[in-house]
Amino acid sequence: MSTSPSLSGAERADGASVRIGALVPLTRPGWVEAGRHLLAGLELAVRDVNDAGGVGGRPLELVVRDTAADPERAAAAVDELAGLGVAALAGEYHSVVARAAAARADAVGLPFLCSSAVLDALTEQPTDWVARLAPAQSHGWRIYADFLLGAGHSRIAVAVEPSVYWASGTRILRDHLVPRGGSVMELDMRALTPTAMCDELVEAGATALLLLVGHPEPAVSIVRSVRRDRRLAGVLIGAPAGQPECAEWAALGDDGAAIPFLRYVPDRLGPLGARVETVLRERLAEAPSFVAFEGYDTVLVLADVLRSHGVERARTAESWPQVDVEGTRGRIRFSRTPGIGVWQWAWAPVQVVDRDPAAPDRFRILHTGLTSWG
C-alpha cells in the first residue's frame, strides 16, 4: 500500500519527489486504530509541508507499508523501501516491531525516525541511524509508578502476556516500586482465565491491577470480569501502555472509565498543536490520540532535516544532534540518553489520565510527569 499526498505548493520542481517510507500497523493483529491515527498525522504533516513548498521545491511523498504488528514483515518492508530509494523511514507504533525495523534500518544505512515505540532497547547497540520521538518506556512507566504510589497503591498486580515489551514494563515497575515499599505480583494470562485471575487478586489483596496484555483481547475481558466482581470493587485498573486512549474502549461504557493510562501530550497545546488537533479531529471524525501528534511531528522533523542538510541518507543520520524544531507538543531536540542506543527526544510531555465516568469522551489529568516545552 502506498499513498501520494497532495503536491499543491510544491509542483514547481522537476517532478521528482522526496520519498519517505512509513511503517504503520493497519491490519490485525496490529493495533489498527493506533495505526490509523499515526497515518493521519503523517499524511497531514506531508500535506502541510508540501503546501509550504516541500523540500527545496520538491514535494514530499509517503510510501506506506502495513506492518500488521509483524516484526519480520516490518524488516522486509525496510529492505523494500530502501530499494525504492526513500530518503528516510518514519512511523511504527508497536515496540517489538519497531525494534526489528530499527535493526534492519541500521544494517542497510537508512535513517529511521521512530514515531511511537517506547521500548528502551530499540536497538541492541548504539546507532546514529535511528532517532525516536516517543519517551522511553523506563521514563514514562516510572512516572506511572509514581502516580500509583501517590494514589496510595503499593500492592500491584500485573496481568501479563509473553512479550519483550511487557516483560520490560514489569521489570521497570518492580525496580521502581519495590525500593519504595511496593510489591509487584505477576499473573500469567496464558494460564489464567479472567475469572481465575479475579480469585488471585482477592487472595493477594492487590489494590491495583495493571493490564500488560493485548487489546482488544484479553484486555477487554479482564476489565469486564474485574468490574463485575463485587470483591474487587475498590481495585484500580490501569493500562500504562494506553489502551483506553482507543475510542473502541468507549464501547465498554462505565466499565471502561476511570482506567489510568499514559498519554504523551502537554497540559495545554500551543498554537501549532491546537491547529493540528482541529484538522485531525475533522479527518478522523474523533479526537486525535497522542499517536496522531507523534506522526505529525515525525514528518515535521524529517522535513526540517532534509531541507537543512539535503536528502543524502548519511547526512540525515549525522544531523540528529542539530535538530531544533517546534513540534505540536513542544520543542524537539535529540540527545544521547544513558541506557538508550538511539537519538532520543528527552522528553516529550507525559501525563497519566483516565476517561471521565461522567463524560467518557473527556480525559481527566491525574498526574503530570513533565510540563516544560523543550
Side-chain angles (χ1 to χ4, degrees):
M1 173 183 178
S2 64
T3 65
S4 296
S6 168
L7 306 183
S8 60
E11 294 173 335
R12 57 185 176 276
D14 61 4
S17 61
V18 177
R19 307 179 88 188
I20 295 176
L23 301 178
V24 186
L26 296 174
T27 55
R28 301 287 186 190
W31 191 343
V32 174
E33 184 167 350
R36 187 169 66 91
H37 281 233
L38 178 58
L39 183 58
L42 293 166
E43 289 181 332
L44 176 59
V46 168
R47 190 199 74 177
D48 288 351
V49 167
N50 285 339
D51 286 349
V55 174
R58 298 168 62 188
L60 277 185
E61 178 188 357
L62 277 186
V63 185
V64 180
R65 293 295 180 266
D66 173 20
T67 63
D70 184 336
E72 292 184 5
R73 184 167 173 171
V78 173
D79 286 339
E80 180 196 1
L81 291 165
L84 291 174
V86 299
L89 193 64
E92 193 45 47
Y93 176 80
H94 298 284
S95 281
V96 175
V97 178
R99 187 172 67 156
R104 197 64 200 145
D106 180 52
V108 302
L110 180 60
F112 176 28
L113 180 51
C114 183
S115 303
S116 296
V118 300
L119 192 67
D120 282 43
L122 196 58
T123 56
E124 293 294 334
Q125 301 294 331
T127 176
D128 287 327
W129 290 102
V130 182
R132 173 168 57 190
L133 288 175
Q137 187 181 23
S138 59
H139 178 71
W141 286 44
R142 284 171 188 152
I143 290 170
Y144 194 95
D146 287 339
F147 156 74
L148 291 173
L149 290 174
H153 299 284
S154 59
R155 298 177 64 84
I156 312 300
V158 293
V160 181
E161 289 181 311
S163 161
V164 171
Y165 176 63
W166 301 125
S168 172
T170 302
R171 184 173 59 254
I172 291 165
L173 292 168
R174 181 174 283 116
D175 289 349
H176 197 70
L177 289 168
V178 170
R180 293 162 177 79
S183 64
V184 177
M185 176 183 70
E186 292 187 50
L187 301 172
D188 185 350
M189 297 313 298
R190 294 173 302 174
L192 294 170
T193 65
T195 300
M197 182 211 64
C198 288
D199 293 337
E200 294 278 349
L201 285 175
V202 172
E203 183 177 346
T207 64
L209 170 68
L210 305 188
L211 306 176
L212 309 191
V213 294
H215 175 274
E217 290 298 336
V220 168
S221 293
I222 292 171
V223 169
R224 286 180 169 147
S225 293
V226 173
R227 294 295 202 210
R228 285 157 173 70
D229 193 320
R230 293 183 179 180
R231 300 173 299 170
L232 301 174
V235 170
L236 176 144
I237 304 176
Q243 295 98 321
E245 172 95 5
C246 175
E248 292 177 1
W249 204 265
L252 285 167
D254 291 343
D255 288 346
I259 298 178
F261 63 95
L262 287 166
R263 191 166 180 246
Y264 306 131
V265 293
D267 293 352
R268 185 177 62 186
L269 293 168
L272 173 62
R275 180 185 69 79
V276 169
E277 179 184 41
T278 298
V279 179
L280 285 172
R281 185 182 292 269
E282 293 173 355
R283 285 189 162 212
L284 293 164
E286 63 187 10
S289 69
F290 68 85
V291 180
F293 291 107
E294 289 175 328
Y296 189 96
D297 286 341
T298 302
V299 170
L300 208 63
V301 168
L302 286 175
D304 182 77
V305 169
L306 296 170
R307 286 194 202 101
S308 302
H309 302 280
V311 299
E312 200 272 320
R313 292 173 178 174
R315 294 189 66 183
T316 296
E318 294 167 357
S319 302
W320 303 127
Q322 282 78 54
V323 167
D324 189 350
V325 174
E326 188 68 28
T328 59
R329 298 162 299 138
R331 183 157 292 277
I332 299 168
R333 303 182 183 94
F334 295 117
S335 60
R336 286 296 191 183
T337 302
I340 296 172
V342 304
W343 287 96
Q344 175 73 53
W345 179 20
W347 301 97
V350 178
Q351 297 174 343
V352 179
V353 306
D354 68 3
R355 288 186 177 272
D356 188 341
D361 60 342
R362 184 173 66 216
F363 297 121
R364 302 183 298 186
I365 299 173
L366 308 177
H367 183 73
T368 301
L370 178 67
T371 57
S372 61
W373 281 49

